[in-house]
């Protein structure tokens, strides 16, 4: 009968392993050894999981599978390459779900390896008795086998662990995006505790949203962290709004101090990124409202060429831009002959804006750096072109001048 690769390899393993070591492996109680390994790994690596029955069951199965496999390899019943640690793979799925780091997985295996070796050495000493020469074959090849097995299995389980972590991350990201999308479109409002778990953000805080233009997620995450720290806020939430558009929420339970607000403004300026900033608002509705405001502020700011735009400063433009075509029609109808791009029209609009803002010819002249008579003459020209007294149209003119910066 032709020998298979597996049987050939097994014979080679048995040939290297001394008969005394194979015999000792047959006599060791795998369940008793694994119980001691389990206790040590739990105590030194996962002490906080001692009360988790699901975790304990998975860890116990993994430890026993590995201990039994090591003894089977030493006894010549199994090749390392053929070992299939089902329990160890299952434990990796549990550890990934629990969010345990890779370092814990590696440390658990190394401590388990050391505990197996200590127990093997004790059993070998008992078997050899006072015969020092008999102890060597009981230790040399078995320790090499133990290390080879752990190295091989550790590579297998870490690959599985990383694969499962990636799967979980994708699933969590999808669930997170779905929940946030439902909150923002108003189709579903989850329980606050469920939202906090999934989004990792307390939706019941008072939020301030920032609509930001950034090249990638790394830049957006860095911006969120800097702004969150500036406001000394416990929570922050990030959402990709478009290809290069990001929505950032920063939540606080209490209003920020004046110093924190100044730090927030400084950080926004230091980011050097186009941004729109909302007013603060509370709860789930606040998430929706602040995002809408931040988007509007960003839009107006980009139209005006302003890097950081605050909704409180462009509230009027944002309101009227809800119907952009009507806003443009309003601007044309109010400004009429002084709404063009020519130099005279621009000069007249500048003068009217200064007059409206300062409230007097003298103050407007000072603001513009011209003589008071120049202001009077320009305002008179504007009245003739508009065929109406400016004083009677203050509101319309003020709104039209502000809107013109955005819609033209």
């Amino acid at each position: 009968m032709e020998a298979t690769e597996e049987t050939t390899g097994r014979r080679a393993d048995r040939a290297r392993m001394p008969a005394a070591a194979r015999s000792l492996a047959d006599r060791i109680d795998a369940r008793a050894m694994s119980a001691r390994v389990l206790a040590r790994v739990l105590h030194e690596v996962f002490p906080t999981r001692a009360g988790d029955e699901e975790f304990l069951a998975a860890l116990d199965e993994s430890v026993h599978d590995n201990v039994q496999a090591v003894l089977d390899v030493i006894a010549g019943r199994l090749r390392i390459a053929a070992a299939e640690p089902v329990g160890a793979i299952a434990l990796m799925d549990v550890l990934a779900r629990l969010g345990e780091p890779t370092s814990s997985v590696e440390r658990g295996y190394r401590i388990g390896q050391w505990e197996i070796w200590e127990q093997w050495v004790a059993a070998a000493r008992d078997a050899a008795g006072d015969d020092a020469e008999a102890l060597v074959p009981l230790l040399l090849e078995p320790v090499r086998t133990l290390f080879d097995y752990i190295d091989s299995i550790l590579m297998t389980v870490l690959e599985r662990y990383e694969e499962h972590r990636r799967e979980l991350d994708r699933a969590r990201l999808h669930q997170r995006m779905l929940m946030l999308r439902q909150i923002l479109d108003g189709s579903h409002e989850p329980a606050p505790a469920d939202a906090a778990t999934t989004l990792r953000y307390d939706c019941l805080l008072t939020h301030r949203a920032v609509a930001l233009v950034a090249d990638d997620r790394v830049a957006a995450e860095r911006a969120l962290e800097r702004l969150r720290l500036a406001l000394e806020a416990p929570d922050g939430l990030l959402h990709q709004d478009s290809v290069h558009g990001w929505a950032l929420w920063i939540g606080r339970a209490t209003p920020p101090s004046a110093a924190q607000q100044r730090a927030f403004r400084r950080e926004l300026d230091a980011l050097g990124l186009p941004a729109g900033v909302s007013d603060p608002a509370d709860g789930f509705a606040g998430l929706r409202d602040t995002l809408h405001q931040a988007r509007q502020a960003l839009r107006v700011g980009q139209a005006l060429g302003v890097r950081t735009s605050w909704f409180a400063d462009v509230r009027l433009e944002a309101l009227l831009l809800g119907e952009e075509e009507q806003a443009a029609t309003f601007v044309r109808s109010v400004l009429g002959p002084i709404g063009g791009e020519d130099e005279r029209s621009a000069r007249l609009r500048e003068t009217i804006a200064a007059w409206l803002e300062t409230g007097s010819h003298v103050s407007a002249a000072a603001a513009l750096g011209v003589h008071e008579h120049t202001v009077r003459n320009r305002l008179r020209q504007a009245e003739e072109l508009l065929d109406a007294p400016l004083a009677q149209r203050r509101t319309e003119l003020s709104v039209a001048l502000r809107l013109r910066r955005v819609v033209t």
Side-chain angles (χ1 to χ4, degrees), residues 334-335 352 356 386 390 393-401:
V334 172
L335 298 182
I352 295 172
L356 289 170
L386 294 173
L390 299 182
R393 306 184 66 190
R394 288 177 179 270
T395 301
E396 293 92 333
L397 285 167
S398 179
V399 172
L401 288 170

Side-chain angles (χ1 to χ4, degrees), residues 311-326:
F311 182 76
D313 297 332
V314 297
R315 192 184 307 274
L316 179 61
E317 289 89 340
L319 174 65
L320 296 177
L321 282 176
E323 295 290 343
E324 188 167 350
E325 186 175 338
Q326 291 186 25

Side-chain angles (χ1 to χ4, degrees), residues 114-290:
W114 185 250
E115 178 61 34
I116 293 172
W117 176 237
E118 286 185 343
Q119 291 188 55
W120 178 267
V121 170
R125 283 174 175 167
D126 289 343
D130 295 331
D131 188 351
E133 290 186 5
L135 186 60
V136 174
L138 290 175
L139 298 181
L140 188 59
E141 195 59 38
V143 71
R144 183 182 295 118
T145 298
L146 173 61
F147 275 72
D148 287 347
Y149 173 84
I150 294 297
D151 287 345
S152 174
I153 294 305
L154 190 54
M155 288 179 60
T156 300
V157 298
L158 285 177
E159 286 177 4
R160 173 60 185 177
Y161 175 81
E162 293 300 333
E163 177 186 346
H164 196 70
R165 279 286 295 269
R166 288 191 293 270
E167 291 173 357
L168 284 174
D169 287 344
R170 286 193 293 269
R172 286 168 180 161
L173 179 60
H174 175 74
Q175 184 182 11
R176 186 169 178 265
M177 290 174 62
L178 178 61
M179 177 179 284
L180 184 56
R181 192 177 299 118
Q182 291 174 334
I183 291 172
L184 294 177
D185 66 20
S187 62
H188 175 61
E189 192 167 293
D194 292 341
T197 299
T198 301
L199 300 179
R200 298 191 296 278
Y201 180 80
D202 186 351
C203 294
L204 299 184
L205 294 173
T206 299
H207 324 288
R208 188 184 289 277
V210 179
L212 195 71
V213 178
D215 289 336
D216 52 44
R217 177 172 289 274
V218 173
E221 288 176 344
R222 187 181 301 117
L224 174 60
E225 185 63 9
R226 289 175 62 176
L227 295 174
R228 185 187 68 80
L229 290 175
L231 283 178
E232 299 180 28
D235 275 334
L237 178 62
L238 177 67
H239 171 64
Q240 186 161 11
D241 213 18
S242 63
V243 176
H244 296 296
W246 303 86
L248 287 59
W249 287 271
I250 301 163
R252 283 181 55 93
T254 58
S257 66
Q260 289 166 342
Q261 294 185 58
R262 287 194 297 271
F264 182 69
R265 288 180 176 270
R266 284 196 301 271
E267 284 297 335
L268 272 171
D269 292 339
L271 289 176
L273 300 172
V277 188
S278 76
D279 290 341
D282 303 333
F284 288 105
L287 281 175
R288 295 188 286 270
D289 293 344
T290 54

Side-chain angles (χ1 to χ4, degrees), residues 102 211 369:
T102 308

